[in-house]
Amino acid sequence: MSPQTPKLPDPNRRLLLKAASLAPLATLAPLSACSPIATPQGDQAGTEAPQWHNWSGSQGITPSKFGYPKNETELRELLTSTDLPVRCFGGSHSFSPLVPNQGLMISVEQMSGLIRHDAALHTATFGAGTRLSNASRLAYENGQSFINQPDIDTQSLAGAISTATHGTGEKLPSLSACTQALRLMTPDGTAHVIDESNPDLLNAARTSLGSFGVITEITFQNAAAYRLEETTRVRDIREAMDIVERERHQHRSIEMFVFPFGNRAIIKTLDFTDKPDLKLIPEDDNATLEWASKLSMNHAWLTSTIQRALGFFVTEDVRRGPSSQLFATPRTVRFNEMEYTVPAENGLAVLEEAVTMLKKSDVNVFFPIEYRYTAAEESWLSPFYRRAGASLSFHQYYEQDYRPVFDLVEPMLKARNGRPHWGKLNNFTTADARRAYERFDDFIALQKQLDPQGRMLNDYMKKLLGGAS
Ligand SMILES: Cc1cc2nc3c(=O)[nH]c(=O)nc-3n(C[C@H](O)[C@H](O)[C@H](O)COP(=O)(O)OP(=O)(O)OC[C@H]3O[C@@H](n4cnc5c(N)ncnc54)[C@H](O)[C@@H]3O)c2cc1C
């Protein structure tokens, strides 16, 4: 073993690649471990503005000022007492430069919790800073479940809807699509209620990339509380693709983690159940995953061997429990990510193309490609706008350069009519967005109407909304 080879920390090697498959499923270092944001206490105490950085560490900035309003009165005072540009941050889980801003950075973390709910209609209104984990638990305690959830639940609700955060399931929409109404304050201090009485505004505001104003409350259309059973299988890639093609209409949710260099894939399904809870708390495989990631990074020739060993290490598994506890698994191993959504019917063909490209290339990536489905929706800038989608996510360990792998697959994904996840790294231009989204110019017009001075735009958003076609 060379001095660079990390020592396997856990003798339970069976979990090695299962860990890799679960990482993109649900990953977050606790805020304290990653410290992406300034604490409200620090700011209120008048200490110097600390640096902000995102979860993966790929974005960071020291803004002039942080603001942590507790209510709309404090928020209005913050917005109107300055003419600094404004960007909000939630859980700081976006990989793309959506958040960084040298002016005022606002978190509505202190505007959190369940505000009201309707037991008959299964709707629930939350403070926009509520983390999804809390919102999901509070909903469940009140007889509701979110219709679907992503594979982590540490995002804020406002941050999650602002990028059309999604889980998997052919008939299941993103969180933006489940947004029935929201409350938003524009930089001039005006509070707006946006709901179905103005469908255009609602469909634009559902995925606004933080550019319309500060969202303070969100009402979700939920479902009656339900419980889920999760199953895990491991197969060769070809067989796994056939299974997904055959079973994607049968399960409530299906997803696949594909390891191109080891020719293995993990298939996960979620279905309703009324059976008793089973393995509610998933095994903590983070140390093993970190070890495998470092080993692959330092010894590229081992990547295919580790990936091939999947069948020996991952056991077929079943977990069961309340929806609020089954979707997400806490994770601490950091990575960077790019995701493109292509038309659902082309998904498997595009995935096959990506696998072939990676295998022919000399890029070294240990993390699997994650493959998921989402239903079509009306949010103007959602990747699922009027098109059911298959999403392909590419990850790279945070200590490794992500560009070789992302640069390799992105042109192909764009050429297959792919639309990027706005919260994940991408090189989509204004012209690309105009081609992909028929309401893109209407979105720009509404943004200008709500924020005539462009105070809600950072450099990235100015370029995206105002770039040359
Ligand atoms: C480990 C990991 C796993 C992930 N898994 C998934 C997944 O399964 N599915 C998926 O779709 N995505 C996933 N993502 C991406 C993530 O869900 C999105 O990037 C999401 O937007 C992050 O939410 P956040 O609260 O961290 O928001 P941030 O990243 O802090 O902000 C995102 C956007 O929301 C805006 N915003 C935040 N708060 C407000 C507010 N109050 N008012 C107005 N605008 C606001 C910001 O300005 C920014 O434009 C994952 C990310 C990570 C790091």
Side-chain angles (χ1 to χ4, degrees):
M1 230 178 230
S2 83
Q4 278 180 312
T5 306
K7 229 175 135 209
L8 180 60
D10 183 347
N12 191 357
R13 296 174 186 222
R14 165 181 85 79
L15 298 173
L16 176 65
L17 288 161
K18 182 175 172 190
S21 78
L22 291 173
L25 269 183
T27 317
L28 175 66
L31 285 181
S32 55
C34 228
S35 62
I37 48 174
T39 63
Q41 289 75 16
D43 189 58
Q44 282 163 359
T47 52
E48 223 168 89
Q51 204 209 20
W52 170 92
H53 67 82
N54 68 344
W55 176 83
S56 75
S58 62
Q59 310 290 339
I61 202 156
T62 305
S64 308
K65 190 174 174 186
F66 282 101
Y68 299 91
K70 288 198 221 55
N71 50 47
E72 284 193 357
T73 310
E74 288 188 10
L75 175 60
R76 183 172 295 110
E77 171 62 21
L78 254 177
L79 290 169
T80 55
S81 61
T82 173
D83 54 8
L84 285 171
V86 184
R87 284 303 275 179
C88 292
F89 62 101
S92 302
H93 274 55
S94 295
F95 301 91
S96 57
L98 276 177
V99 168
N101 163 38
Q102 266 163 352
L104 170 61
M105 284 187 42
I106 294 181
S107 160
V108 294
E109 182 103 38
Q110 298 195 88
M111 298 171 75
S112 294
L114 180 61
I115 296 168
R116 60 187 168 274
H117 66 101
D118 186 315
L121 296 174
H122 302 308
T123 56
T125 302
F126 298 91
T130 315
R131 297 298 175 112
L132 181 55
S133 51
N134 283 338
S136 186
R137 179 183 51 78
L138 289 165
Y140 198 82
E141 285 168 7
N142 286 285
Q144 298 183 19
S145 291
F146 279 78
I147 291 172
N148 205 13
Q149 286 189 210
D151 49 28
I152 58 160
D153 56 12
T154 41
Q155 303 95 332
S156 68
L157 295 178
I161 68 159
S162 295
T163 64
T165 290
H166 63 97
T168 183
E170 270 203 332
K171 297 195 179 120
L172 304 178
S174 77
L175 286 169
S176 298
C178 298
T179 300
Q180 204 196 50
L182 52 87
R183 218 176 141 83
L184 172 136
M185 188 174 284
T186 40
D188 63 357
T190 310
H192 304 258
V193 174
I194 300 177
D195 59 21
E196 278 153 1
S197 64
N198 187 340
D200 272 1
L201 184 56
L202 179 62
N203 286 326
R206 277 173 161 152
T207 308
S208 68
L209 315 183
S211 66
F212 279 16
V214 182
I215 301 169
T216 55
E217 282 182 23
I218 308 175
T219 301
F220 285 93
Q221 178 62 62
N222 290 333
Y226 56 83
R227 302 173 71 264
L228 290 170
E229 176 173 276
E230 177 196 79
T231 69
T232 304
R233 285 173 277 177
V234 186
R235 298 286 186 274
D236 286 351
I237 292 178
R238 183 67 268 154
E239 192 186 344
M241 284 189 178
D242 290 345
I243 290 173
V244 170
E245 179 60 34
R246 216 170 38 241
E247 296 186 10
R248 69 193 177 112
H249 310 295
Q250 292 166 19
H251 295 283
R252 186 172 195 270
S253 303
I254 194 159
E255 72 182 318
M256 185 163 45
F257 297 91
V258 178
F259 295 81
F261 305 106
N263 189 30
R264 302 296 273 164
I266 295 174
I267 305 162
K268 285 184 170 286
T269 59
L270 283 171
D271 288 290
F272 291 133
T273 187
D274 53 11
K275 293 185 193 157
D277 289 356
L278 187 66
K279 293 192 197 160
L280 256 188
I281 301 176
E283 289 154 289
D284 181 354
D285 305 328
N286 288 296
T288 316
L289 174 60
E290 189 94 48
W291 170 82
S293 302
K294 281 190 191 298
L295 189 63
S296 160
M297 175 176 70
N298 293 325
H299 305 279
W301 57 275
L302 273 177
T303 302
S304 60
T305 310
I306 307 171
Q307 288 198 349
R308 245 195 319 274
L310 189 64
F312 299 110
F313 293 124
V314 177
T315 47
E316 311 250 312
D317 206 5
V318 180
R319 293 177 61 222
R320 285 194 291 266
S323 65
S324 54
Q325 281 175 269
L326 252 275
F327 285 111
T329 310
R331 288 285 160 187
T332 57
V333 181
R334 284 183 275 167
F335 53 81
N336 282 300
E337 185 171 347
M338 185 183 75
E339 175 181 305
Y340 270 80
T341 294
V342 299
E345 62 278 16
N346 305 338
L348 288 169
V350 177
L351 175 63
E352 202 164 353
E353 213 174 333
V355 168
T356 307
M357 283 181 100
L358 281 167
K359 279 165 76 175
K360 277 192 188 152
S361 77
D362 58 0
V363 299
N364 180 31
V365 52
F366 171 72
F367 279 78
I369 307 169
E370 188 177 11
Y371 180 82
R372 297 182 276 186
Y373 291 103
T374 300
E377 66 180 73
E378 289 297 316
S379 320
W380 289 358
L381 290 198
S382 162
F384 315 104
Y385 175 69
R386 297 201 170 169
R387 196 175 90 178
S391 304
L392 292 86
S393 312
F394 300 82
H395 315 81
Q396 182 57 287
Y397 183 51
Y398 80 109
E399 286 186 13
Q400 268 173 285
D401 185 0
Y402 53 76
R403 281 168 302 191
V405 57
F406 295 178
D407 288 352
L408 175 76
V409 291
E410 189 172 21
M412 182 277 284
L413 295 165
K414 274 191 189 179
R416 302 291 168 266
N417 289 323
R419 296 168 173 168
H421 187 308
W422 297 111
K424 304 186 182 180
L425 292 160
N426 69 83
N427 290 299
F428 227 50
T429 63
T430 312
D432 292 331
R434 195 161 275 134
R435 259 194 304 276
Y437 294 99
E438 66 188 64
R439 304 303 299 265
F440 188 67
D441 285 318
D442 296 332
F443 182 91
I444 294 174
L446 273 181
Q447 197 285 325
K448 283 192 177 136
Q449 203 176 306
L450 289 165
D451 174 27
Q453 292 173 314
R455 280 183 64 202
M456 294 302 304
L457 304 178
N458 64 359
D459 291 347
Y460 170 77
M461 286 305 299
K462 276 185 196 151
K463 197 167 164 209
L464 180 67
L465 301 187
S469 291

